[in-house]
Amino acid sequence: MSDILFLILRRLRAPLITVIVVYAISVGGLALIPGVTPEGERVPMSIFHAFYFMSFTATTIGFGEIPYPFTDAQRLWVTFAIYLSVVGWAYTLGSVIALANDAPFRTMLRRSVFNRQVRGLAEPFYVLCGYGQSGSRLARALDRLGNRLVIVDPSSERMAPVAVQEYGTRPLTLAADARLADVLVDSGVRSPLCLGLIALAGEDSVNQAIAIDARVLNPGIPIIARAKSAVAKVSLESFGGVTVINPFETFAYNLGVSLRAPEIVQIEDWLTATDGTPIPPAVQPPHGRWVLVGFGRFGRAISNVLDRAGIEWKAFDPRAVIETDERLVHGDYAENILHDAGVEVADVLVAGADNDAVNLGATTLARRVKPDIFVVIRQNQMQDRALVDAARANLKFVQSDIMVNECLQVLKAPMLSRFIAQLRAGDREQATAVLDRVRKEVGDGSPHSWAFECDVLQPGMFYAFFQRVGKPFRVQHLLADPTNPGARMSVTPAMLERDEETLMLPPDDTLLKPGDRILFLGNDVARRLQQRYLIEPGTVAWVCTGSEPARGFLFRWWEQRQRARAGAADGQA
Amino acid sequence: MNLEKVIFGFFIIFACTLNFGFFIGDIERPELHHPMELFAAVVVNLIATVLKFGDRTQLGATHLATSLVASFQLIAASMVWAWQLYVVGQPMNSEFTAVVVSLSGGALLANLFSVVLLIGETLRQGR
């Protein structure tokens, strides 16, 4: 705010001095020129009267000649003063209006309003840098989950739709370059309420700069950055504490996983779907011959996966430089090229060019030659969604889908995201075991997932680990229904994390230690019931021993006495 | 020689000297304190204040503060004067003259600080 004040003061210095000087001259002159009273006495006008007269004359109000009718000498001076003061005011008002329309001034004003709004935020918020296709979809997804957002994008045009898009709570927006550290500070990156920063700018270098600045400004928050090149990914990951998402690599990696074990991708899709969704079918692309249309970053990422899986492929790209690899053909996507590629003997077509028309065209051509070809299609523009959907490809790559899913997982369910990473790294037997177990214990609808932390700062967990005597605390206790300890709730303990170790599908009799984190899959009712173990020592005691301990001082004393008596009786017997 | 410095210094010192000119004289004798002199002091003080706008240094802020104090005191003095003449409707008596002159004395002190700051700044820069 003080910036603005200083800017106004500095810009209006000359006009203000002009007004002061004009008034000084007019008022001074009027006070020196003698006037005549009705009695014919010659007295000069007082400074007060002169100032009053000039005030209403200069502002063109004009109350008339006071305190007595003027002499001609006074009128001569007043004529001069009127022109002088009107010009002075015109100049001053013109300067004020010019300042109000001044672009840098307005930018500064908006920045100052934004800064005040961000500091006024009373609830936790995410900072989103970049409001393109992925950015806007992620923003709306986070908003639907009830999060406040601060959006920074250098283009004010790209952010203009924020005002009309459907948001539960309107995000705060600033059109500025987030690479500048002061922009990040103004966006609230250092605020204790900041939950995380997501850098989704178009260029890798921008995301890199934002992520590194934000990490330096606030070492505590989670940071997600999109990086489309391997170099940027490596340099960001080496910086530490930044989650880097490469949409092409992620899709290609998942493709590789589904080539190896489609169940893993199937369970991942199921767990990340909205609650209650039925299990999606497992999609396994054939291992035969692959044809890649477009060999940019997307095609390259897929070809790497295919190489690792030992699959034969051929790629076409009109922009391909002549490389040593004879599998890469320089050419456009016309029908004859697709013929040359041997589409009639190919099993999979990856339409991965950065142009939706080309991808749709290639899909149609390939299907004409071989109707049952497995098609992986890339959708580039959101407005082409209906067209690409109509092509009914077997797999669809949408960059913003991947970005939104991955970001939400990392931000909203970090433990689920680690669980899925473990699944991806594992084999298909593990995935099948998880799927079978969850289906048996929870049901066919997509389960809710949550993390339970054995936080001994919570009274229930403190009691469970330190105050209680008897059998140690195990996973099975957390599975018991606190309203009916004999019954097991429909939840599956999916993963247990202790320090750096992880245990997949921990058995029910696993011993728990303070600080353990357990990922549960189940319905939301079970999650709410389970929260009681955190806060109610009585419930913990009840599920462990079947009896609730005495609460009040008097009853505890009575209980101890009873126990001592029973002990004494046992001793005698 | 820097023209900006000349103008700046001129107005600060001029504000101080005009203020002094009005202040000097027996505190309760209206005939020794001319209204035109007070008027000139107000105008020059206002100009000096505006000249100090927009300087973001610590020294600039103090400069501005002293000028604001002086301007407020002088405007208060003129308002007291106008009150006695046009609201009370009496010619200036010794009581009201004393109030006006002592207010301008306060402004003079602020203006002196301003001059001290100006001199201090000039000496510190040493060029």
Side-chain angles (χ1 to χ4, degrees), chain A residues 266-267 269-280 434-435 437-449 490 492 521-524:
Chain A
Q266 184 189 18
I267 190 170
D269 286 348
W270 188 50
L271 290 182
T272 51
T274 45
D275 291 4
T277 315
I279 300 176
V434 170
L435 194 59
R437 175 111 185 250
V438 177
R439 283 180 73 172
K440 196 177 94 211
E441 289 175 349
V442 183
D444 282 344
S446 169
H448 195 78
S449 75
S490 41
T492 304
L521 303 174
N523 57 21
D524 200 44

PDB file of all heavy atoms in Angstrom, chain A residues 266-267 269-280 434-435 437-449 490 492 521-524:
ATOM      1  N   GLN A 266      -5.276 -51.358 -13.515  1.00  0.00           N
ATOM      2  CA  GLN A 266      -6.695 -51.527 -13.212  1.00  0.00           C
ATOM      3  C   GLN A 266      -6.988 -51.119 -11.766  1.00  0.00           C
ATOM      4  O   GLN A 266      -7.894 -50.340 -11.487  1.00  0.00           O
ATOM      5  CB  GLN A 266      -7.059 -52.997 -13.433  1.00  0.00           C
ATOM      6  CG  GLN A 266      -8.517 -53.314 -13.245  1.00  0.00           C
ATOM      7  CD  GLN A 266      -8.755 -54.819 -13.266  1.00  0.00           C
ATOM      8  OE1 GLN A 266      -7.820 -55.603 -13.083  1.00  0.00           O
ATOM      9  NE2 GLN A 266      -9.988 -55.204 -13.499  1.00  0.00           N
ATOM     10  N   ILE A 267      -6.178 -51.633 -10.827  1.00  0.00           N
ATOM     11  CA  ILE A 267      -6.437 -51.312  -9.411  1.00  0.00           C
ATOM     12  C   ILE A 267      -6.143 -49.840  -9.139  1.00  0.00           C
ATOM     13  O   ILE A 267      -6.830 -49.186  -8.363  1.00  0.00           O
ATOM     14  CB  ILE A 267      -5.662 -52.259  -8.468  1.00  0.00           C
ATOM     15  CG1 ILE A 267      -6.158 -52.045  -7.032  1.00  0.00           C
ATOM     16  CG2 ILE A 267      -4.190 -52.058  -8.528  1.00  0.00           C
ATOM     17  CD1 ILE A 267      -5.652 -53.069  -6.072  1.00  0.00           C
ATOM     18  N   ASP A 269      -6.604 -47.336 -11.267  1.00  0.00           N
ATOM     19  CA  ASP A 269      -7.773 -46.596 -11.754  1.00  0.00           C
ATOM     20  C   ASP A 269      -8.938 -46.745 -10.791  1.00  0.00           C
ATOM     21  O   ASP A 269      -9.691 -45.803 -10.556  1.00  0.00           O
ATOM     22  CB  ASP A 269      -8.186 -47.116 -13.138  1.00  0.00           C
ATOM     23  CG  ASP A 269      -7.224 -46.662 -14.215  1.00  0.00           C
ATOM     24  OD1 ASP A 269      -6.398 -45.774 -13.910  1.00  0.00           O
ATOM     25  OD2 ASP A 269      -7.269 -47.200 -15.327  1.00  0.00           O
ATOM     26  N   TRP A 270      -9.064 -47.946 -10.241  1.00  0.00           N
ATOM     27  CA  TRP A 270     -10.193 -48.201  -9.353  1.00  0.00           C
ATOM     28  C   TRP A 270     -10.067 -47.406  -8.046  1.00  0.00           C
ATOM     29  O   TRP A 270     -11.009 -46.769  -7.589  1.00  0.00           O
ATOM     30  CB  TRP A 270     -10.240 -49.703  -9.059  1.00  0.00           C
ATOM     31  CG  TRP A 270     -11.457 -50.151  -8.321  1.00  0.00           C
ATOM     32  CD1 TRP A 270     -12.753 -49.866  -8.629  1.00  0.00           C
ATOM     33  CD2 TRP A 270     -11.482 -50.966  -7.151  1.00  0.00           C
ATOM     34  NE1 TRP A 270     -13.589 -50.462  -7.736  1.00  0.00           N
ATOM     35  CE2 TRP A 270     -12.837 -51.147  -6.815  1.00  0.00           C
ATOM     36  CE3 TRP A 270     -10.493 -51.572  -6.372  1.00  0.00           C
ATOM     37  CZ2 TRP A 270     -13.227 -51.892  -5.712  1.00  0.00           C
ATOM     38  CZ3 TRP A 270     -10.889 -52.325  -5.287  1.00  0.00           C
ATOM     39  CH2 TRP A 270     -12.241 -52.479  -4.952  1.00  0.00           C
ATOM     40  N   LEU A 271      -8.864 -47.433  -7.486  1.00  0.00           N
ATOM     41  CA  LEU A 271      -8.669 -46.765  -6.196  1.00  0.00           C
ATOM     42  C   LEU A 271      -8.761 -45.252  -6.314  1.00  0.00           C
ATOM     43  O   LEU A 271      -9.148 -44.573  -5.372  1.00  0.00           O
ATOM     44  CB  LEU A 271      -7.307 -47.138  -5.601  1.00  0.00           C
ATOM     45  CG  LEU A 271      -7.159 -48.578  -5.116  1.00  0.00           C
ATOM     46  CD1 LEU A 271      -5.788 -48.788  -4.505  1.00  0.00           C
ATOM     47  CD2 LEU A 271      -8.237 -48.905  -4.096  1.00  0.00           C
ATOM     48  N   THR A 272      -8.377 -44.702  -7.470  1.00  0.00           N
ATOM     49  CA  THR A 272      -8.396 -43.247  -7.584  1.00  0.00           C
ATOM     50  C   THR A 272      -9.714 -42.742  -8.142  1.00  0.00           C
ATOM     51  O   THR A 272      -9.921 -41.543  -8.244  1.00  0.00           O
ATOM     52  CB  THR A 272      -7.246 -42.753  -8.483  1.00  0.00           C
ATOM     53  OG1 THR A 272      -7.290 -43.490  -9.702  1.00  0.00           O
ATOM     54  CG2 THR A 272      -5.911 -42.952  -7.828  1.00  0.00           C
ATOM     55  N   ALA A 273     -10.628 -43.641  -8.501  1.00  0.00           N
ATOM     56  CA  ALA A 273     -11.934 -43.198  -9.008  1.00  0.00           C
ATOM     57  C   ALA A 273     -12.786 -42.696  -7.843  1.00  0.00           C
ATOM     58  O   ALA A 273     -12.429 -42.879  -6.675  1.00  0.00           O
ATOM     59  CB  ALA A 273     -12.626 -44.353  -9.719  1.00  0.00           C
ATOM     60  N   THR A 274     -13.913 -42.062  -8.183  1.00  0.00           N
ATOM     61  CA  THR A 274     -14.802 -41.607  -7.104  1.00  0.00           C
ATOM     62  C   THR A 274     -15.386 -42.826  -6.393  1.00  0.00           C
ATOM     63  O   THR A 274     -15.543 -43.891  -6.992  1.00  0.00           O
ATOM     64  CB  THR A 274     -15.954 -40.752  -7.668  1.00  0.00           C
ATOM     65  OG1 THR A 274     -16.455 -41.422  -8.819  1.00  0.00           O
ATOM     66  CG2 THR A 274     -15.483 -39.378  -8.038  1.00  0.00           C
ATOM     67  N   ASP A 275     -15.721 -42.631  -5.107  1.00  0.00           N
ATOM     68  CA  ASP A 275     -16.177 -43.753  -4.284  1.00  0.00           C
ATOM     69  C   ASP A 275     -17.359 -44.468  -4.932  1.00  0.00           C
ATOM     70  O   ASP A 275     -18.271 -43.834  -5.447  1.00  0.00           O
ATOM     71  CB  ASP A 275     -16.592 -43.236  -2.906  1.00  0.00           C
ATOM     72  CG  ASP A 275     -15.390 -42.758  -2.125  1.00  0.00           C
ATOM     73  OD1 ASP A 275     -14.279 -42.773  -2.694  1.00  0.00           O
ATOM     74  OD2 ASP A 275     -15.564 -42.362  -0.956  1.00  0.00           O
ATOM     75  N   GLY A 276     -17.310 -45.781  -4.887  1.00  0.00           N
ATOM     76  CA  GLY A 276     -18.438 -46.566  -5.361  1.00  0.00           C
ATOM     77  C   GLY A 276     -18.366 -46.984  -6.814  1.00  0.00           C
ATOM     78  O   GLY A 276     -19.211 -47.728  -7.291  1.00  0.00           O
ATOM     79  N   THR A 277     -17.345 -46.490  -7.562  1.00  0.00           N
ATOM     80  CA  THR A 277     -17.222 -46.868  -8.969  1.00  0.00           C
ATOM     81  C   THR A 277     -16.895 -48.362  -9.077  1.00  0.00           C
ATOM     82  O   THR A 277     -16.042 -48.854  -8.337  1.00  0.00           O
ATOM     83  CB  THR A 277     -16.079 -46.063  -9.622  1.00  0.00           C
ATOM     84  OG1 THR A 277     -16.202 -44.707  -9.230  1.00  0.00           O
ATOM     85  CG2 THR A 277     -16.099 -46.179 -11.126  1.00  0.00           C
ATOM     86  N   PRO A 278     -17.543 -49.080  -9.990  1.00  0.00           N
ATOM     87  CA  PRO A 278     -17.190 -50.493 -10.143  1.00  0.00           C
ATOM     88  C   PRO A 278     -15.787 -50.664 -10.715  1.00  0.00           C
ATOM     89  O   PRO A 278     -15.223 -49.724 -11.297  1.00  0.00           O
ATOM     90  CB  PRO A 278     -18.249 -51.027 -11.103  1.00  0.00           C
ATOM     91  CG  PRO A 278     -18.813 -49.840 -11.776  1.00  0.00           C
ATOM     92  CD  PRO A 278     -18.658 -48.689 -10.846  1.00  0.00           C
ATOM     93  N   ILE A 279     -15.238 -51.862 -10.570  1.00  0.00           N
ATOM     94  CA  ILE A 279     -13.872 -52.120 -11.038  1.00  0.00           C
ATOM     95  C   ILE A 279     -13.817 -51.996 -12.563  1.00  0.00           C
ATOM     96  O   ILE A 279     -14.616 -52.615 -13.266  1.00  0.00           O
ATOM     97  CB  ILE A 279     -13.427 -53.526 -10.605  1.00  0.00           C
ATOM     98  CG1 ILE A 279     -13.479 -53.614  -9.091  1.00  0.00           C
ATOM     99  CG2 ILE A 279     -12.044 -53.846 -11.132  1.00  0.00           C
ATOM    100  CD1 ILE A 279     -13.151 -54.971  -8.555  1.00  0.00           C
ATOM    101  N   PRO A 280     -12.920 -51.147 -13.080  1.00  0.00           N
ATOM    102  CA  PRO A 280     -12.829 -51.004 -14.536  1.00  0.00           C
ATOM    103  C   PRO A 280     -12.178 -52.250 -15.138  1.00  0.00           C
ATOM    104  O   PRO A 280     -11.472 -52.982 -14.440  1.00  0.00           O
ATOM    105  CB  PRO A 280     -11.935 -49.776 -14.705  1.00  0.00           C
ATOM    106  CG  PRO A 280     -11.122 -49.715 -13.471  1.00  0.00           C
ATOM    107  CD  PRO A 280     -11.930 -50.334 -12.372  1.00  0.00           C
ATOM    108  N   VAL A 434      -4.046 -57.720  -3.697  1.00  0.00           N
ATOM    109  CA  VAL A 434      -4.674 -56.525  -3.121  1.00  0.00           C
ATOM    110  C   VAL A 434      -6.112 -56.414  -3.610  1.00  0.00           C
ATOM    111  O   VAL A 434      -7.050 -56.212  -2.833  1.00  0.00           O
ATOM    112  CB  VAL A 434      -3.868 -55.258  -3.500  1.00  0.00           C
ATOM    113  CG1 VAL A 434      -4.636 -54.004  -3.121  1.00  0.00           C
ATOM    114  CG2 VAL A 434      -2.513 -55.276  -2.821  1.00  0.00           C
ATOM    115  N   LEU A 435      -6.285 -56.595  -4.918  1.00  0.00           N
ATOM    116  CA  LEU A 435      -7.617 -56.458  -5.500  1.00  0.00           C
ATOM    117  C   LEU A 435      -8.589 -57.461  -4.875  1.00  0.00           C
ATOM    118  O   LEU A 435      -9.701 -57.109  -4.474  1.00  0.00           O
ATOM    119  CB  LEU A 435      -7.525 -56.657  -7.019  1.00  0.00           C
ATOM    120  CG  LEU A 435      -8.742 -56.228  -7.829  1.00  0.00           C
ATOM    121  CD1 LEU A 435      -9.022 -54.767  -7.619  1.00  0.00           C
ATOM    122  CD2 LEU A 435      -8.511 -56.498  -9.306  1.00  0.00           C
ATOM    123  N   ARG A 437      -8.355 -59.052  -2.012  1.00  0.00           N
ATOM    124  CA  ARG A 437      -8.580 -58.797  -0.594  1.00  0.00           C
ATOM    125  C   ARG A 437      -9.561 -57.637  -0.395  1.00  0.00           C
ATOM    126  O   ARG A 437     -10.500 -57.737   0.391  1.00  0.00           O
ATOM    127  CB  ARG A 437      -7.216 -58.478   0.047  1.00  0.00           C
ATOM    128  CG  ARG A 437      -7.276 -58.075   1.477  1.00  0.00           C
ATOM    129  CD  ARG A 437      -6.674 -59.111   2.403  1.00  0.00           C
ATOM    130  NE  ARG A 437      -6.897 -58.678   3.769  1.00  0.00           N
ATOM    131  CZ  ARG A 437      -5.922 -58.260   4.567  1.00  0.00           C
ATOM    132  NH1 ARG A 437      -4.670 -58.265   4.148  1.00  0.00           N
ATOM    133  NH2 ARG A 437      -6.209 -57.857   5.785  1.00  0.00           N
ATOM    134  N   VAL A 438      -9.355 -56.543  -1.144  1.00  0.00           N
ATOM    135  CA  VAL A 438     -10.238 -55.387  -0.976  1.00  0.00           C
ATOM    136  C   VAL A 438     -11.648 -55.750  -1.410  1.00  0.00           C
ATOM    137  O   VAL A 438     -12.629 -55.396  -0.753  1.00  0.00           O
ATOM    138  CB  VAL A 438      -9.703 -54.169  -1.772  1.00  0.00           C
ATOM    139  CG1 VAL A 438     -10.660 -52.989  -1.652  1.00  0.00           C
ATOM    140  CG2 VAL A 438      -8.336 -53.777  -1.260  1.00  0.00           C
ATOM    141  N   ARG A 439     -11.770 -56.512  -2.507  1.00  0.00           N
ATOM    142  CA  ARG A 439     -13.112 -56.899  -2.961  1.00  0.00           C
ATOM    143  C   ARG A 439     -13.796 -57.768  -1.929  1.00  0.00           C
ATOM    144  O   ARG A 439     -14.998 -57.646  -1.697  1.00  0.00           O
ATOM    145  CB  ARG A 439     -13.009 -57.655  -4.282  1.00  0.00           C
ATOM    146  CG  ARG A 439     -12.777 -56.738  -5.437  1.00  0.00           C
ATOM    147  CD  ARG A 439     -12.683 -57.493  -6.709  1.00  0.00           C
ATOM    148  NE  ARG A 439     -13.991 -57.991  -7.137  1.00  0.00           N
ATOM    149  CZ  ARG A 439     -14.183 -58.556  -8.320  1.00  0.00           C
ATOM    150  NH1 ARG A 439     -13.187 -58.700  -9.155  1.00  0.00           N
ATOM    151  NH2 ARG A 439     -15.380 -58.970  -8.650  1.00  0.00           N
ATOM    152  N   LYS A 440     -13.031 -58.642  -1.295  1.00  0.00           N
ATOM    153  CA  LYS A 440     -13.632 -59.542  -0.314  1.00  0.00           C
ATOM    154  C   LYS A 440     -14.057 -58.768   0.937  1.00  0.00           C
ATOM    155  O   LYS A 440     -15.148 -58.984   1.476  1.00  0.00           O
ATOM    156  CB  LYS A 440     -12.606 -60.631   0.057  1.00  0.00           C
ATOM    157  CG  LYS A 440     -13.251 -61.828   0.754  1.00  0.00           C
ATOM    158  CD  LYS A 440     -12.213 -62.899   1.016  1.00  0.00           C
ATOM    159  CE  LYS A 440     -11.684 -62.705   2.373  1.00  0.00           C
ATOM    160  NZ  LYS A 440     -10.409 -63.010   2.774  1.00  0.00           N
ATOM    161  N   GLU A 441     -13.196 -57.864   1.388  1.00  0.00           N
ATOM    162  CA  GLU A 441     -13.465 -57.209   2.669  1.00  0.00           C
ATOM    163  C   GLU A 441     -14.318 -55.954   2.547  1.00  0.00           C
ATOM    164  O   GLU A 441     -14.994 -55.568   3.489  1.00  0.00           O
ATOM    165  CB  GLU A 441     -12.137 -56.855   3.360  1.00  0.00           C
ATOM    166  CG  GLU A 441     -11.431 -58.102   3.853  1.00  0.00           C
ATOM    167  CD  GLU A 441     -10.066 -57.798   4.435  1.00  0.00           C
ATOM    168  OE1 GLU A 441      -9.574 -56.669   4.272  1.00  0.00           O
ATOM    169  OE2 GLU A 441      -9.493 -58.692   5.039  1.00  0.00           O
ATOM    170  N   VAL A 442     -14.242 -55.263   1.414  1.00  0.00           N
ATOM    171  CA  VAL A 442     -14.939 -53.987   1.302  1.00  0.00           C
ATOM    172  C   VAL A 442     -16.084 -54.050   0.290  1.00  0.00           C
ATOM    173  O   VAL A 442     -17.149 -53.490   0.523  1.00  0.00           O
ATOM    174  CB  VAL A 442     -13.955 -52.858   0.916  1.00  0.00           C
ATOM    175  CG1 VAL A 442     -14.673 -51.529   0.883  1.00  0.00           C
ATOM    176  CG2 VAL A 442     -12.803 -52.808   1.902  1.00  0.00           C
ATOM    177  N   GLY A 443     -15.859 -54.705  -0.809  1.00  0.00           N
ATOM    178  CA  GLY A 443     -16.912 -54.770  -1.812  1.00  0.00           C
ATOM    179  C   GLY A 443     -16.400 -54.348  -3.180  1.00  0.00           C
ATOM    180  O   GLY A 443     -15.215 -54.029  -3.345  1.00  0.00           O
ATOM    181  N   ASP A 444     -17.310 -54.326  -4.156  1.00  0.00           N
ATOM    182  CA  ASP A 444     -16.906 -54.071  -5.535  1.00  0.00           C
ATOM    183  C   ASP A 444     -16.822 -52.585  -5.872  1.00  0.00           C
ATOM    184  O   ASP A 444     -16.251 -52.214  -6.886  1.00  0.00           O
ATOM    185  CB  ASP A 444     -17.880 -54.751  -6.502  1.00  0.00           C
ATOM    186  CG  ASP A 444     -17.591 -56.246  -6.591  1.00  0.00           C
ATOM    187  OD1 ASP A 444     -16.487 -56.639  -6.165  1.00  0.00           O
ATOM    188  OD2 ASP A 444     -18.465 -56.995  -7.060  1.00  0.00           O
ATOM    189  N   GLY A 445     -17.427 -51.738  -5.028  1.00  0.00           N
ATOM    190  CA  GLY A 445     -17.365 -50.303  -5.298  1.00  0.00           C
ATOM    191  C   GLY A 445     -15.997 -49.753  -4.914  1.00  0.00           C
ATOM    192  O   GLY A 445     -15.364 -50.233  -3.973  1.00  0.00           O
ATOM    193  N   SER A 446     -15.561 -48.736  -5.660  1.00  0.00           N
ATOM    194  CA  SER A 446     -14.257 -48.146  -5.349  1.00  0.00           C
ATOM    195  C   SER A 446     -14.226 -47.681  -3.887  1.00  0.00           C
ATOM    196  O   SER A 446     -15.115 -46.956  -3.448  1.00  0.00           O
ATOM    197  CB  SER A 446     -14.018 -46.965  -6.277  1.00  0.00           C
ATOM    198  OG  SER A 446     -12.902 -46.246  -5.838  1.00  0.00           O
ATOM    199  N   PRO A 447     -13.243 -48.105  -3.094  1.00  0.00           N
ATOM    200  CA  PRO A 447     -13.227 -47.765  -1.676  1.00  0.00           C
ATOM    201  C   PRO A 447     -12.696 -46.357  -1.433  1.00  0.00           C
ATOM    202  O   PRO A 447     -12.013 -45.780  -2.272  1.00  0.00           O
ATOM    203  CB  PRO A 447     -12.283 -48.792  -1.074  1.00  0.00           C
ATOM    204  CG  PRO A 447     -11.337 -49.099  -2.170  1.00  0.00           C
ATOM    205  CD  PRO A 447     -12.088 -48.955  -3.458  1.00  0.00           C
ATOM    206  N   HIS A 448     -13.032 -45.857  -0.273  1.00  0.00           N
ATOM    207  CA  HIS A 448     -12.474 -44.603   0.209  1.00  0.00           C
ATOM    208  C   HIS A 448     -11.096 -44.956   0.776  1.00  0.00           C
ATOM    209  O   HIS A 448     -10.921 -46.051   1.295  1.00  0.00           O
ATOM    210  CB  HIS A 448     -13.402 -44.097   1.311  1.00  0.00           C
ATOM    211  CG  HIS A 448     -13.200 -42.685   1.673  1.00  0.00           C
ATOM    212  ND1 HIS A 448     -13.678 -41.663   0.904  1.00  0.00           N
ATOM    213  CD2 HIS A 448     -12.586 -42.120   2.720  1.00  0.00           C
ATOM    214  CE1 HIS A 448     -13.360 -40.531   1.466  1.00  0.00           C
ATOM    215  NE2 HIS A 448     -12.697 -40.768   2.566  1.00  0.00           N
ATOM    216  N   SER A 449     -10.146 -44.074   0.676  1.00  0.00           N
ATOM    217  CA  SER A 449      -8.851 -44.401   1.273  1.00  0.00           C
ATOM    218  C   SER A 449      -8.454 -43.309   2.245  1.00  0.00           C
ATOM    219  O   SER A 449      -8.781 -42.141   2.046  1.00  0.00           O
ATOM    220  CB  SER A 449      -7.792 -44.544   0.185  1.00  0.00           C
ATOM    221  OG  SER A 449      -7.439 -43.276  -0.295  1.00  0.00           O
ATOM    222  N   SER A 490     -15.729 -53.120   7.623  1.00  0.00           N
ATOM    223  CA  SER A 490     -15.323 -53.492   6.260  1.00  0.00           C
ATOM    224  C   SER A 490     -14.226 -52.547   5.788  1.00  0.00           C
ATOM    225  O   SER A 490     -14.471 -51.604   5.043  1.00  0.00           O
ATOM    226  CB  SER A 490     -16.512 -53.471   5.315  1.00  0.00           C
ATOM    227  OG  SER A 490     -17.317 -52.363   5.573  1.00  0.00           O
ATOM    228  N   THR A 492      -9.804 -52.597   4.755  1.00  0.00           N
ATOM    229  CA  THR A 492      -8.597 -53.382   4.508  1.00  0.00           C
ATOM    230  C   THR A 492      -7.396 -52.527   4.869  1.00  0.00           C
ATOM    231  O   THR A 492      -7.279 -51.410   4.359  1.00  0.00           O
ATOM    232  CB  THR A 492      -8.506 -53.765   3.023  1.00  0.00           C
ATOM    233  OG1 THR A 492      -9.696 -54.447   2.670  1.00  0.00           O
ATOM    234  CG2 THR A 492      -7.299 -54.633   2.758  1.00  0.00           C
ATOM    235  N   LEU A 521      -8.277 -48.928   3.317  1.00  0.00           N
ATOM    236  CA  LEU A 521      -9.245 -48.815   2.233  1.00  0.00           C
ATOM    237  C   LEU A 521     -10.560 -49.331   2.783  1.00  0.00           C
ATOM    238  O   LEU A 521     -10.601 -50.417   3.372  1.00  0.00           O
ATOM    239  CB  LEU A 521      -8.815 -49.666   1.031  1.00  0.00           C
ATOM    240  CG  LEU A 521      -7.441 -49.364   0.444  1.00  0.00           C
ATOM    241  CD1 LEU A 521      -7.079 -50.364  -0.630  1.00  0.00           C
ATOM    242  CD2 LEU A 521      -7.412 -47.961  -0.131  1.00  0.00           C
ATOM    243  N   GLY A 522     -11.603 -48.571   2.619  1.00  0.00           N
ATOM    244  CA  GLY A 522     -12.879 -49.023   3.166  1.00  0.00           C
ATOM    245  C   GLY A 522     -13.947 -47.983   2.918  1.00  0.00           C
ATOM    246  O   GLY A 522     -13.740 -47.065   2.124  1.00  0.00           O
ATOM    247  N   ASN A 523     -15.068 -48.095   3.607  1.00  0.00           N
ATOM    248  CA  ASN A 523     -16.092 -47.079   3.391  1.00  0.00           C
ATOM    249  C   ASN A 523     -15.929 -45.945   4.401  1.00  0.00           C
ATOM    250  O   ASN A 523     -15.208 -46.056   5.391  1.00  0.00           O
ATOM    251  CB  ASN A 523     -17.497 -47.682   3.411  1.00  0.00           C
ATOM    252  CG  ASN A 523     -17.783 -48.401   4.703  1.00  0.00           C
ATOM    253  OD1 ASN A 523     -17.134 -48.138   5.713  1.00  0.00           O
ATOM    254  ND2 ASN A 523     -18.722 -49.315   4.690  1.00  0.00           N
ATOM    255  N   ASP A 524     -16.606 -44.854   4.100  1.00  0.00           N
ATOM    256  CA  ASP A 524     -16.395 -43.647   4.874  1.00  0.00           C
ATOM    257  C   ASP A 524     -16.925 -43.783   6.305  1.00  0.00           C
ATOM    258  O   ASP A 524     -16.414 -43.152   7.222  1.00  0.00           O
ATOM    259  CB  ASP A 524     -17.070 -42.479   4.153  1.00  0.00           C
ATOM    260  CG  ASP A 524     -16.502 -41.157   4.604  1.00  0.00           C
ATOM    261  OD1 ASP A 524     -15.259 -41.072   4.709  1.00  0.00           O
ATOM    262  OD2 ASP A 524     -17.280 -40.236   4.878  1.00  0.00           O
TER     263      ASP A 524
END
